[in-house]
Amino acid sequence: MGQVIPLFLDCDPGIDDALALGWLFCQDDVEILGLAASGGNVSTDQVVTNTLGWLQLASRTEIPVHPGAQHPLAGVSEYAEETHGDTGVGYAQLPAGGNTADELSAAEAWVRAAHAHPGELIGVVTGPATNLALALQLEPRLPQLLKRLFVMGGAFNYRGNTRPTTEWNISYDPEAAKAVLDAFGEADHLPVIGPIEATEAVALTPERLGQMLAGPTTPQWSAWLAQLAEALRFYFEFHESDGHGYLAHVHDPYVTAAAVAWARKQPESSSPADEADVDSSAQETHGIIPWAHKTEKAAVDVELFGTLTRGETVADWLGRWGRAPNAEIIRSLDADAFLDHLTDTLRKGPHHHDPH
């Protein structure tokens, strides 16, 4: 195996976050330094419980889970139980009591991971940006310490999935999202944003889920997938009730996988996992970001005060603000190629960690 990619994931499981975790468990060359459990889909305490449960079910309890902030930077929490269920995992039944959260807070864990791997750490945020914003208060040099930041969030000139023009992760804590985007505009590699107008194309169907469940795998991974299927059953029902059909938009696995695949393409990561584990579809794209058909750099800001639009992400496509771009936005992606990769990856399951 070649060079290991250090990664820190800030997530709020959440059903598509669980899919992202499952994908990560299957990557030989990724060292998950820690998981920040962020309040958002459900309360922070419940997210911690969910994250610990998914890790225990996968026998990955060596990965530290760091409790995130209890509330957004400037307001009271507003959760999404109607989307992910009362416990945040749909109909899944996860084990409890086998492992505990790390004492280090999520913000402190971000800083520790960045200092442990300066210039190498890949940061991924698939939940609200609260913890990373707090980490920036502790260490303003984080944009220079990370190799690159990938964010699932935002809706640009597109209908929202929370309020008419807002996406959930940004809407939950707009102040945090703004703080992160303002700071990371100074990074060597601009942060990558996967907004819902791109990631909604990654639509998981019951047929694809059936393909995941049908693959050759271990009894333990089969049990993990069985609970994932129960979580997704709730997600399918929610999307159907929301007018999208019996399917699930799974935003987080794409942004997570794109982050890792991008890191593999960098010169110092030219010898990743075995060739059999590297999906060629990630390399056959028109731009730099794997599986992306089109990306665009722009100055991005977050609306904080609009009575109808608080939490909306605004991109200055024409440069009318006179500001330098502070983000690279995924505009469209090859959803079918990525779904093929995701399906095949989860069907095979992890093969490099012995049960313990």
Side-chain angles (χ1 to χ4, degrees):
M1 186 172 68
Q3 182 170 338
V4 172
I5 298 168
L7 181 141
F8 190 89
L9 174 64
D10 201 321
C11 56
D12 61 339
I15 295 169
D16 53 338
D17 299 81
L19 268 168
L21 284 173
W23 184 88
L24 281 174
F25 295 157
C26 299
Q27 308 308 307
D28 289 11
D29 59 339
V30 176
E31 180 184 5
I32 308 172
L33 297 178
L35 301 174
S38 172
N41 289 318
V42 287
S43 71
T44 298
D45 291 344
Q46 185 63 55
V47 169
V48 169
T49 298
N50 295 346
T51 308
L52 292 171
W54 287 116
L55 291 180
Q56 186 176 345
L57 193 60
S59 285
R60 293 302 304 271
T61 55
E62 83 284 359
I63 300 172
V65 175
H66 303 279
Q70 291 290 331
H71 298 291
L73 295 185
V76 177
S77 299
E78 183 178 340
Y79 303 127
E81 294 93 338
E82 71 280 4
T83 306
H84 296 268
D86 290 342
T87 63
V89 294
Y91 298 124
Q93 298 292 321
L94 301 179
N99 49 334
T100 57
D102 196 277
E103 294 182 357
L104 200 67
S105 73
E108 293 170 317
W110 266 109
V111 175
R112 183 176 68 178
H115 280 287
H117 297 273
E120 299 176 353
L121 182 67
I122 297 295
V124 181
V125 178
T126 60
T130 312
N131 302 315
L132 183 51
L134 292 171
L136 282 164
Q137 295 176 14
L138 299 175
E139 176 50 278
R141 295 180 301 152
L142 280 178
Q144 288 72 47
L145 290 169
L146 266 64
K147 187 177 188 69
R148 199 165 199 183
L149 177 68
F150 286 72
V151 175
M152 190 280 121
F156 296 91
N157 308 106
Y158 191 71
R159 58 165 175 77
N161 65 356
T162 304
R163 294 181 177 88
T165 62
T166 63
E167 179 275 331
W168 174 256
N169 288 339
I170 306 298
S171 181
Y172 180 84
D173 195 339
E175 280 78 12
K178 177 177 172 58
V180 167
L181 289 171
D182 287 350
F184 275 85
E186 302 298 320
D188 291 338
H189 291 290
L190 290 180
V192 175
I193 300 176
I196 58 172
E197 65 267 24
T199 59
E200 275 190 353
V202 185
L204 189 67
T205 62
E207 291 74 22
R208 281 202 179 267
L209 177 59
Q211 293 169 12
M212 291 179 188
L213 299 175
T217 187
T218 64
Q220 181 180 46
W221 190 243
S222 293
W224 196 93
L225 288 176
Q227 293 308 316
L228 178 67
E230 285 299 287
L232 283 164
R233 183 163 61 89
F234 186 96
Y235 217 28
F236 291 150
E237 292 174 0
F238 164 74
H239 281 80
E240 185 176 44
S241 70
D242 208 32
H244 299 289
Y246 197 74
L247 50 76
H249 296 143
V250 290
H251 315 273
D252 298 339
Y254 168 70
V255 174
T256 304
V260 172
W262 176 85
R264 287 178 179 144
K265 292 172 66 176
Q266 304 312 296
E268 57 269 42
S269 301
S270 57
S271 300
D274 295 338
E275 286 299 318
D277 296 326
V278 180
D279 185 79
S280 61
S281 67
Q283 314 304 321
E284 298 170 357
T285 53
H286 302 293
I288 296 174
I289 306 305
W291 294 287
H293 282 319
K294 179 183 178 182
T295 69
E296 199 165 347
K297 296 177 181 177
V300 174
D301 213 330
V302 181
E303 175 59 52
L304 302 182
F305 304 107
T307 57
L308 299 177
T309 57
R310 173 171 160 79
E312 182 177 344
T313 46
V314 181
D316 182 14
W317 303 117
L318 299 179
R320 288 171 175 163
W321 288 336
R323 303 183 201 168
N326 63 341
E328 182 170 0
I329 305 164
I330 298 169
R331 302 293 281 156
S332 63
L333 57 92
D334 190 339
D336 286 339
F338 176 69
L339 279 165
D340 287 344
H341 167 70
L342 178 66
T343 301
D344 190 55
T345 299
L346 292 181
R347 180 183 62 82
K348 292 178 179 177
H351 54 81
H352 53 291
H353 286 278
D354 296 325
H356 59 279

